[in-house]
Amino acid sequence: MDRDSNSYTFLFSTIMVIVVASTLAFTASVLKEKQNENVRKEKMQNILSTIGVLTDRDGAEKLYKIHIIEEITLKKDGKTDDKIKAFSIDLKKEIKKPVEMQRFPLYVASVKEFKYYIFPLRGSGLWDAIWGYLALEEDMKTIKGVVFDHKAETAGLGAEITQEWFQDSFKGEKIIDVNGSLVGISVSKVNNDPKGLDKQDHEVDAISGATITGDGLSDMIYERLSNYMIYLKNNKLNKKQNLEIDSIMISLN
Amino acid sequence: MSKENNRLKPSLFFLSKDREALFSKKNRALLSDPMDDNNPITVQVLGICSALAITVQLKPAIVMTISVIAVMGASNVIVSILRNLIPNRIRIIVQLVVVASLVALVDQVLKAFAYDVYKELSIFIGLIITNCIVMGRLEAFALGNGVWKSFLDGVGNAAGYGVILIIVAFFRELLGSGNLYGYKVIPDAFYEMGYENNGLMLLSPMALITVGILIWIQRSKNRKLIEEK
């Protein structure tokens, strides 16, 4: 057949497309389950690492069952939604919905006698999505730990948000100011505290050359946490009332 | 060895045309030329974009080198096998499909079986498709040469690209963040004496300047590369 004829060109491209498409589709479907398993275990591993439980991916599932005592699905108004399992919520799809329709997963963990609240985060970096988890201590304002990841930030610049030294600088920072309102954490180029010793300034030192990733990170933390504030306030109120009731009971006794 | 004798020898399918030794002088040149005389980055100035993007640290540069070697070797072989079948008018599309599907395949397999490597690589794998060296070698070499030669040419060019990548990344990581392969190499005592990391090294302009310096050094050593006036 003439290699330059139209019919040969059509024939060749048709065969090529069929061969390539079926090969790729076949590999993708064969490997799908294994890939999802990896993603699921990594999610558990990430959640655990914010509360200082470090494990490899294979050990994550077992430790997750031990330490995560509650998975809560919240609505915007702070009420729980029992119909949807928190762990199954895919933030990637969720953040595209209007805020009223979104469901917000919250994980409650316990390590020894301490209780932690873990918030999944997702936002935009420079090139593509960034995400992570942020754990608060029982006072609901001090950061216990964070973990960040990204899809396509620049290696050595924006991608440094996955590094331990950067994530460590969040530890102990407060997300809530003295008046009790949410301020989040700002990744700042101008703070006078590059070592991160000041834990009251709601700031961590930015990464050189990663301004937009850093800004995206600050926005992400504020935006995501703001959706939980109603729940956290109610929860705190309940606790206070419980304490008051307890103390009344004690004094009655 | 006479030609008579040669013809009697059973030959592997990809050697049948040239009847050369596997590593004849010509074939060795296919591997070594791109390292110096015909380096894709410093002489042909191809693949600069990825050379800027992933040379901030040594690790991604090395990972990228390995993946480009794999992809170029494989895609050159495939296109070379198909070279007498590919319709001339859509050859660029065919090359693109070959490279893209190889890359997608590698991506999927890594995601399932080597998830950590996949995470390390994920952004760079996509970048391989856009690397002009890959397409350039398919178009310039694999379409007109035998399978074995094409393979050597692919590996050689990828290695030549990788060498520059690694050299640039070495200097950028060392001077920019005081690390090598993620490990601290500049002692704290230096910093106490007032040494500072050069933040500019982390930004892309310095990658271009470093490549420029490499070209300068190479040309001052290798007179063949200097154009006559």
Side-chain angles (χ1 to χ4, degrees), chain A residues 23-24 27-28 31, chain B residues 100-111:
Chain A
T23 319
L24 289 182
T27 357
L31 300 176
Chain B
S101 31
L102 268 179
V103 167
L105 214 59
V106 170
D107 194 54
Q108 291 292 318
V109 171
L110 285 179
K111 194 177 179 189

Side-chain angles (χ1 to χ4, degrees), chain A residues 3-4 8 35 42 149, chain B residues 85-86 89 108 115 119:
Chain A
R3 253 216 289 172
D4 286 326
Y8 181 80
Q35 294 171 348
E42 194 201 13
D149 208 342
Chain B
L85 294 173
I86 298 174
R89 276 182 293 175
Q108 291 292 318
Y115 193 68
K119 290 204 66 189

Side-chain angles (χ1 to χ4, degrees), chain B:
Chain B
M1 207 181 278
S2 73
K3 271 194 172 170
E4 263 335 288
N5 269 343
N6 238 340
R7 206 167 292 152
L8 292 174
K9 254 173 59 175
S11 50
L12 289 166
F13 77 102
F14 50 78
L15 288 175
S16 52
K17 267 191 189 147
D18 338 286
R19 290 162 206 274
E20 279 182 37
L22 271 187
F23 286 99
S24 67
K25 204 171 170 198
K26 249 194 200 155
N27 284 348
R28 281 203 307 269
L30 288 176
L31 274 179
S32 60
D33 250 14
M35 296 289 175
D36 189 8
D37 288 359
N38 211 0
N39 189 287
I41 295 187
T42 59
V43 179
Q44 299 172 19
V45 197
L46 289 173
I48 288 291
C49 357
S50 55
L52 301 189
I54 51 156
T55 51
V56 180
Q57 288 167 325
L58 210 46
K59 199 173 173 185
I62 291 173
V63 164
M64 182 67 163
T65 304
I66 295 169
S67 11
V68 170
I69 289 178
V71 169
M72 278 188 77
S75 60
N76 263 17
V77 165
I78 292 173
V79 168
S80 177
I81 291 173
L82 295 175
R83 71 185 185 281
N84 294 325
L85 294 173
I86 298 174
N88 208 26
R89 276 182 293 175
I90 56 163
R91 62 179 197 286
I92 302 275
I93 300 173
V94 175
Q95 291 162 18
L96 199 64
V97 169
V98 169
V99 178
S101 31
L102 268 179
V103 167
L105 214 59
V106 170
D107 194 54
Q108 291 292 318
V109 171
L110 285 179
K111 194 177 179 189
F113 295 105
Y115 193 68
D116 297 302
V117 182
Y118 163 79
K119 290 204 66 189
E120 197 74 46
L121 278 172
S122 56
I123 31 168
F124 310 125
I125 286 192
L127 276 177
I128 296 174
I129 308 177
T130 64
N131 193 326
C132 24
I133 301 172
V134 182
M135 290 284 285
R137 292 326 291 172
L138 291 179
E139 177 73 10
F141 198 91
L143 271 179
N145 285 285
V147 174
W148 175 242
K149 283 191 167 183
S150 302
F151 176 72
L152 291 180
D153 181 76
V155 171
N157 273 283
Y161 162 79
V163 165
I164 303 296
L165 227 59
I166 290 168
I167 296 175
V168 175
F170 175 86
F171 286 111
R172 286 183 76 188
E173 190 176 0
L174 182 67
L175 302 176
S177 41
N179 294 350
L180 278 183
Y181 208 78
Y183 297 105
K184 204 148 201 67
V185 286
I186 294 182
D188 283 335
F190 274 52
Y191 291 102
E192 277 156 27
M193 275 153 58
Y195 175 83
E196 287 270 356
N197 287 328
N198 184 350
L200 189 60
M201 285 306 280
L202 297 174
L203 307 177
S204 4
M206 281 314 285
L208 258 191
I209 292 173
T210 318
V211 171
I213 294 172
L214 284 179
I215 293 178
W216 180 16
I217 294 172
Q218 193 194 8
R219 294 203 165 207
S220 64
K221 288 180 110 177
N222 191 341
R223 293 278 156 191
K224 264 189 285 179
L225 296 174
I226 299 171
E227 294 93 354
E228 283 173 34
K229 273 177 195 160

